[in-house]
Amino acid sequence: MNPPTCAQALAAAQTLGLDRLDAQLLLLHALGKPDDARAWLLAHDTDVLTEKAAEDFRAMCLRRAAGEPLAYIVGHKEFFGLALTVDARVLVPRPDTETLVDWALELLRTPAMASAPAVLDLGTGSGAIALAIAHSLQTSGRQGTVTAVDASSDALDVARDNAVRLQLKLGFIQSHWLKEVSGHFHLIVSNPPYIASADAHLVDLAYEPLAALASGSDGLDDIREIIAQAPGHLLAGGWLLLEHGYDQAEAVCALLAREGFVQVQSRMDLAGIARCSGGLWPGGQGIGAGFQTAG
Ligand code: GLN
């Protein structure tokens, strides 16, 4: 069979069940063109693909049709304006998580965090959150340190490669949550696993690392552990911010309050779902009178 035209290739992808945008992005990838070249595709409907491009495109469509995330197939995902390299070693960064970054950046703009804040990202995966924060500090010419923690050395490799490629400075620690971490921070953020281990939704996420998704029978095992450990690593007046499931805000706020956090509150994602909760740690290792409560 002769290689198809662009239009024919896209039509064939849609018969496999791919949506149009995914098919266009995969075709651009097969043609070695950037994601933002969709206008080019429209103008080249009748161009005939090379044998190789047609073959590559078909193979990628089959992977996508089987449920593999687009980001793994093309090898990258945009998060907070940063092009991150991702593969099956890490969770695909979700737009929901930008809510957590927005909140973190808002806190980092308060006077309490004005001078060289120390930020910790637990379960960094691709490095998405840590890199978005580091990028913001770096582009606004601010001092400060961002340390990325993950239990998985594979994930740390991905995060490190992203940091090098984006020329952003991060510290890295391999640790199960705060176990191997020493020192105290102004801000601890995390998008931990939070899906209940028997949740039917996990079937749809089978290509992504289960350890980054599931967390015990109610999905809160890791969040409980982080909330219990965080006070030992927060400066007085420091904040802990956690992403969680759509129905977990109340439970997470209760855990934070019970641990002694104050100003406990939640933030909504773009879909209007309470997606992150956090609180201020009032006690512990004080960093002096200059560090007022934020929020
Ligand atoms: N938000 C992801 C999902 O439900 C889960 C991410 C996580 O567990 N941290 O698809």
Side-chain angles (χ1 to χ4, degrees):
M1 213 175 90
N2 289 331
T5 63
C6 285
Q8 288 166 342
L10 290 172
Q14 285 180 271
T15 64
L16 286 174
L18 269 67
D19 60 52
R20 185 162 169 78
L21 177 60
D22 283 6
Q24 289 174 323
L25 292 171
L26 288 176
L27 184 54
L28 288 170
H29 190 65
L31 294 169
K33 298 203 175 288
D35 289 356
D36 59 11
R38 283 166 61 218
W40 181 92
L41 267 191
L42 297 177
H44 290 76
D45 253 5
T46 55
D47 284 19
V48 176
L49 302 188
T50 63
E51 298 262 3
K52 165 129 180 48
E55 219 169 273
D56 289 352
F57 178 61
R58 186 167 160 73
M60 291 190 289
C61 286
L62 291 172
R63 288 169 66 184
R64 182 69 193 113
E68 188 170 345
L70 185 83
Y72 289 167
I73 303 171
V74 299
H76 58 85
K77 174 79 185 177
E78 188 174 302
F79 179 81
F80 224 83
L82 301 176
L84 300 173
T85 296
V86 294
D87 60 37
R89 291 175 291 179
V90 295
L91 196 75
V92 177
R94 312 285 204 263
D96 296 341
T97 304
E98 297 192 351
T99 303
L100 186 74
V101 175
D102 280 329
W103 192 359
L105 296 184
E106 193 184 306
L107 287 170
L108 288 169
R109 281 192 294 269
T110 59
M113 306 230 187
S115 66
V119 183
L120 190 69
D121 174 25
L122 296 174
T124 199
S126 62
I129 298 170
L131 290 165
I133 293 173
H135 181 255
S136 166
L137 289 175
Q138 206 161 301
T139 53
S140 50
R142 290 185 55 190
Q143 303 287 313
T145 60
V146 184
T147 305
V149 172
D150 210 288
S152 154
S153 59
D154 274 348
L156 287 176
D157 286 344
V158 176
R160 209 176 274 118
D161 287 350
N162 276 318
V164 169
R165 205 171 19 78
L166 295 167
Q167 297 185 293
L168 293 169
K169 199 170 168 298
L170 292 185
F172 294 95
I173 303 174
Q174 186 174 2
S175 170
H176 177 72
W177 306 132
L178 288 145
K179 237 184 212 156
E180 313 299 328
V181 176
S182 56
H184 292 80
F185 299 83
H186 297 78
L187 178 60
I188 299 180
V189 294
S190 183
N191 172 20
Y194 53 68
I195 301 176
S197 48
D199 192 320
H201 179 57
L202 284 173
V203 178
D204 300 330
L205 305 173
Y207 281 86
E208 294 181 89
L210 186 63
L213 290 164
S215 185
S217 58
D218 64 356
L220 292 169
D221 280 6
D222 289 287
I223 285 179
R224 269 188 287 269
E225 208 171 324
I226 293 168
I227 291 175
Q229 293 178 4
H233 294 275
L234 279 169
L235 295 160
W239 281 80
L240 171 63
L241 306 184
L242 297 164
E243 181 175 316
H244 50 66
Y246 70 97
D247 57 354
Q248 294 172 331
E250 206 179 312
V252 174
C253 285
L255 288 165
L256 285 163
R258 186 157 13 123
E259 191 65 38
F261 284 86
V262 298
Q263 296 188 37
V264 171
Q265 55 196 281
S266 301
R267 287 292 158 99
M268 285 198 266
D269 64 18
L270 292 171
I273 293 166
R275 174 62 64 187
C276 311
S277 296
L280 178 148
W281 181 246
Q285 313 283 312
I287 54 165
F291 196 65
Q292 304 290 312
T293 60

PDB file of all heavy atoms in Angstrom, residues 270-283:
ATOM      1  N   LEU A 270      -8.836  24.105  38.450  1.00  0.00           N
ATOM      2  CA  LEU A 270      -9.579  24.806  37.392  1.00  0.00           C
ATOM      3  C   LEU A 270     -10.984  24.254  37.216  1.00  0.00           C
ATOM      4  O   LEU A 270     -11.881  24.936  36.734  1.00  0.00           O
ATOM      5  CB  LEU A 270      -8.800  24.716  36.070  1.00  0.00           C
ATOM      6  CG  LEU A 270      -7.485  25.494  36.065  1.00  0.00           C
ATOM      7  CD1 LEU A 270      -6.677  25.177  34.813  1.00  0.00           C
ATOM      8  CD2 LEU A 270      -7.747  26.990  36.175  1.00  0.00           C
ATOM      9  N   ALA A 271     -11.188  23.015  37.645  1.00  0.00           N
ATOM     10  CA  ALA A 271     -12.516  22.410  37.539  1.00  0.00           C
ATOM     11  C   ALA A 271     -13.379  22.730  38.759  1.00  0.00           C
ATOM     12  O   ALA A 271     -14.511  22.255  38.870  1.00  0.00           O
ATOM     13  CB  ALA A 271     -12.377  20.892  37.372  1.00  0.00           C
ATOM     14  N   GLY A 272     -12.865  23.546  39.673  1.00  0.00           N
ATOM     15  CA  GLY A 272     -13.658  23.929  40.844  1.00  0.00           C
ATOM     16  C   GLY A 272     -13.661  22.879  41.947  1.00  0.00           C
ATOM     17  O   GLY A 272     -14.498  22.902  42.838  1.00  0.00           O
ATOM     18  N   ILE A 273     -12.690  21.947  41.884  1.00  0.00           N
ATOM     19  CA  ILE A 273     -12.589  20.889  42.893  1.00  0.00           C
ATOM     20  C   ILE A 273     -11.521  21.270  43.920  1.00  0.00           C
ATOM     21  O   ILE A 273     -10.424  21.706  43.526  1.00  0.00           O
ATOM     22  CB  ILE A 273     -12.212  19.554  42.216  1.00  0.00           C
ATOM     23  CG1 ILE A 273     -13.378  19.086  41.331  1.00  0.00           C
ATOM     24  CG2 ILE A 273     -11.826  18.481  43.229  1.00  0.00           C
ATOM     25  CD1 ILE A 273     -13.010  17.989  40.370  1.00  0.00           C
ATOM     26  N   ALA A 274     -11.856  21.134  45.211  1.00  0.00           N
ATOM     27  CA  ALA A 274     -10.861  21.405  46.258  1.00  0.00           C
ATOM     28  C   ALA A 274      -9.751  20.368  46.100  1.00  0.00           C
ATOM     29  O   ALA A 274      -9.918  19.194  46.400  1.00  0.00           O
ATOM     30  CB  ALA A 274     -11.495  21.302  47.634  1.00  0.00           C
ATOM     31  N   ARG A 275      -8.617  20.794  45.553  1.00  0.00           N
ATOM     32  CA  ARG A 275      -7.591  19.868  45.050  1.00  0.00           C
ATOM     33  C   ARG A 275      -6.322  19.874  45.894  1.00  0.00           C
ATOM     34  O   ARG A 275      -5.507  18.945  45.853  1.00  0.00           O
ATOM     35  CB  ARG A 275      -7.301  20.292  43.597  1.00  0.00           C
ATOM     36  CG  ARG A 275      -6.205  19.588  42.907  1.00  0.00           C
ATOM     37  CD  ARG A 275      -6.420  18.111  42.753  1.00  0.00           C
ATOM     38  NE  ARG A 275      -7.549  17.787  41.930  1.00  0.00           N
ATOM     39  CZ  ARG A 275      -8.008  16.534  41.779  1.00  0.00           C
ATOM     40  NH1 ARG A 275      -7.419  15.518  42.387  1.00  0.00           N
ATOM     41  NH2 ARG A 275      -9.055  16.309  41.031  1.00  0.00           N
ATOM     42  N   CYS A 276      -6.132  20.948  46.692  1.00  0.00           N
ATOM     43  CA  CYS A 276      -4.960  21.025  47.563  1.00  0.00           C
ATOM     44  C   CYS A 276      -5.405  21.537  48.912  1.00  0.00           C
ATOM     45  O   CYS A 276      -6.314  22.366  48.990  1.00  0.00           O
ATOM     46  CB  CYS A 276      -3.940  22.047  47.082  1.00  0.00           C
ATOM     47  SG  CYS A 276      -3.514  21.948  45.393  1.00  0.00           S
ATOM     48  N   SER A 277      -4.727  21.051  49.941  1.00  0.00           N
ATOM     49  CA  SER A 277      -4.962  21.605  51.274  1.00  0.00           C
ATOM     50  C   SER A 277      -3.613  21.830  51.931  1.00  0.00           C
ATOM     51  O   SER A 277      -2.629  21.162  51.598  1.00  0.00           O
ATOM     52  CB  SER A 277      -5.817  20.657  52.109  1.00  0.00           C
ATOM     53  OG  SER A 277      -7.105  20.522  51.519  1.00  0.00           O
ATOM     54  N   GLY A 278      -3.605  22.775  52.862  1.00  0.00           N
ATOM     55  CA  GLY A 278      -2.344  23.072  53.516  1.00  0.00           C
ATOM     56  C   GLY A 278      -2.561  23.825  54.801  1.00  0.00           C
ATOM     57  O   GLY A 278      -3.686  24.201  55.142  1.00  0.00           O
ATOM     58  N   GLY A 279      -1.462  24.030  55.508  1.00  0.00           N
ATOM     59  CA  GLY A 279      -1.549  24.758  56.756  1.00  0.00           C
ATOM     60  C   GLY A 279      -0.185  25.287  57.146  1.00  0.00           C
ATOM     61  O   GLY A 279       0.849  24.898  56.580  1.00  0.00           O
ATOM     62  N   LEU A 280      -0.219  26.170  58.115  1.00  0.00           N
ATOM     63  CA  LEU A 280       0.986  26.812  58.629  1.00  0.00           C
ATOM     64  C   LEU A 280       1.413  26.090  59.908  1.00  0.00           C
ATOM     65  O   LEU A 280       0.566  25.782  60.761  1.00  0.00           O
ATOM     66  CB  LEU A 280       0.679  28.289  58.900  1.00  0.00           C
ATOM     67  CG  LEU A 280       1.770  29.169  59.488  1.00  0.00           C
ATOM     68  CD1 LEU A 280       1.592  30.593  58.964  1.00  0.00           C
ATOM     69  CD2 LEU A 280       1.752  29.180  61.007  1.00  0.00           C
ATOM     70  N   TRP A 281       2.708  25.851  60.009  1.00  0.00           N
ATOM     71  CA  TRP A 281       3.238  25.211  61.218  1.00  0.00           C
ATOM     72  C   TRP A 281       3.666  26.308  62.198  1.00  0.00           C
ATOM     73  O   TRP A 281       4.596  27.064  61.932  1.00  0.00           O
ATOM     74  CB  TRP A 281       4.414  24.296  60.879  1.00  0.00           C
ATOM     75  CG  TRP A 281       4.955  23.625  62.089  1.00  0.00           C
ATOM     76  CD1 TRP A 281       6.178  23.791  62.648  1.00  0.00           C
ATOM     77  CD2 TRP A 281       4.259  22.680  62.915  1.00  0.00           C
ATOM     78  NE1 TRP A 281       6.290  23.012  63.764  1.00  0.00           N
ATOM     79  CE2 TRP A 281       5.131  22.323  63.955  1.00  0.00           C
ATOM     80  CE3 TRP A 281       2.974  22.113  62.879  1.00  0.00           C
ATOM     81  CZ2 TRP A 281       4.767  21.422  64.955  1.00  0.00           C
ATOM     82  CZ3 TRP A 281       2.607  21.212  63.870  1.00  0.00           C
ATOM     83  CH2 TRP A 281       3.512  20.872  64.897  1.00  0.00           C
ATOM     84  N   PRO A 282       2.983  26.413  63.324  1.00  0.00           N
ATOM     85  CA  PRO A 282       3.236  27.555  64.198  1.00  0.00           C
ATOM     86  C   PRO A 282       4.466  27.405  65.092  1.00  0.00           C
ATOM     87  O   PRO A 282       5.023  28.396  65.548  1.00  0.00           O
ATOM     88  CB  PRO A 282       1.976  27.607  65.064  1.00  0.00           C
ATOM     89  CG  PRO A 282       1.479  26.194  65.092  1.00  0.00           C
ATOM     90  CD  PRO A 282       1.901  25.554  63.805  1.00  0.00           C
ATOM     91  N   GLY A 283       4.870  26.178  65.358  1.00  0.00           N
ATOM     92  CA  GLY A 283       5.924  26.017  66.364  1.00  0.00           C
ATOM     93  C   GLY A 283       7.189  25.446  65.777  1.00  0.00           C
ATOM     94  O   GLY A 283       7.506  25.680  64.627  1.00  0.00           O
TER      95      GLY A 283
END
